[in-house]
Amino acid sequence: MALDKVAGQIVVQAQEKASTIILQGNEEANRIIAGAMGLAQQQTEKIGQDTRRILDEIRQSELSGSYLNAKKGVMQAKKQLLDEIFLQATRDITAIDKAKRAQIIRNLLNKASKELPDAKFFYANEEDKKLAGSPKNISFKGAIGCIGGVIVENEDQSIRINYLFEEIFEKIKEEEMHGIAKRVFGKN
């Protein structure tokens, strides 16, 4: 019986030791779980912050894109309006009365003659040829397709001055667009 008693004590000690090891294991598992939960919480918060930051960046990008698209639309509308202004100016110049148009054509021929003293020939559309009359020392060389104005050349045709209305409007458009836009649309 002494053997049974010793065996019983060994079993009791083993059970106590097992209970202690299980208790320590559970405590260690709880510490690991608590650490993992804390780490998971930190990761969740970081992911949440990153997600909010990315969403804010996307919203800002969309707002910027929308702003740029709106600005582009406004610029296109302004350009179309300016193009319409020049188109209307072209229509207006072609619709002026013959006396005024004849004066413009003669003034253009005189200006070209001053710029090119050895001017000999001029080109114009049929209507402007008739309105030009007989300019001094310059003869009509040929009809050209244009809305109006003249082209003047020297005798060997090496120098040409272009005073076609289309050319004049294009030059004004290039040189004065900023000023015209400022007058039409204000300081913006």
Side-chain angles (χ1 to χ4, degrees):
M1 290 220 182
L3 196 53
D4 282 338
K5 194 173 185 184
V6 172
Q9 284 180 344
I10 292 174
V11 169
V12 169
Q13 286 176 350
Q15 285 177 342
E16 287 175 359
K17 202 170 194 179
S19 292
T20 302
I21 290 172
I22 289 172
L23 185 60
Q24 289 173 345
N26 284 338
E27 289 173 358
E28 183 66 22
N30 287 337
R31 265 194 314 274
I32 291 171
I33 289 171
M37 293 293 280
L39 185 60
Q41 181 65 31
Q42 289 174 350
Q43 291 294 329
T44 301
E45 288 173 10
K46 184 178 182 330
I47 289 170
Q49 290 171 352
D50 289 347
T51 301
R52 284 189 291 281
R53 181 185 50 79
I54 290 169
L55 288 174
D56 287 344
E57 288 173 1
I58 290 170
R59 279 189 209 103
Q60 185 60 42
S61 176
E62 287 176 355
L63 287 173
S64 295
S66 296
Y67 175 76
L68 288 175
N69 284 339
K71 193 170 184 176
K72 184 178 176 184
V74 168
M75 293 303 289
Q76 281 181 310
K78 285 181 177 182
K79 184 188 179 309
Q80 286 175 341
L81 182 58
L82 290 172
D83 288 345
E84 183 60 34
I85 289 170
F86 279 99
L87 184 61
Q88 187 59 47
T90 301
R91 287 185 200 126
D92 292 348
I93 197 79
T94 57
I96 60 174
D97 66 78
K98 286 189 180 201
K100 202 175 222 180
R101 187 175 179 113
Q103 185 62 45
I104 291 171
I105 296 301
R106 282 191 227 104
N107 287 345
L108 290 174
L109 282 168
N110 287 336
K111 183 176 180 182
S113 295
K114 288 177 185 174
E115 287 181 39
L116 184 63
D118 60 338
K120 293 292 179 204
F121 306 111
F122 79 95
Y123 300 85
N125 65 25
E126 289 295 333
E127 180 184 352
D128 290 347
K129 172 194 169 201
K130 294 173 191 169
L131 296 175
S134 301
K136 187 168 74 172
N137 300 327
I138 302 176
S139 59
F140 182 73
K141 181 82 170 185
I144 55 174
C146 63
I147 61 169
V150 295
I151 294 176
V152 177
E153 291 180 331
N154 62 352
E155 189 167 6
D156 65 2
Q157 299 175 339
S158 62
I159 301 173
R160 175 180 270 201
I161 297 176
N162 186 339
Y163 283 137
L164 294 178
F165 293 163
E166 295 95 321
E167 185 70 23
I168 294 168
F169 280 134
E170 194 58 38
K171 193 171 187 175
I172 290 170
K173 198 173 183 180
E174 287 174 13
E175 294 174 359
E176 302 296 328
M177 181 63 82
H178 183 70
I180 293 168
K182 211 172 191 179
R183 285 177 35 202
V184 172
F185 302 117
K187 290 185 179 185
N188 294 337

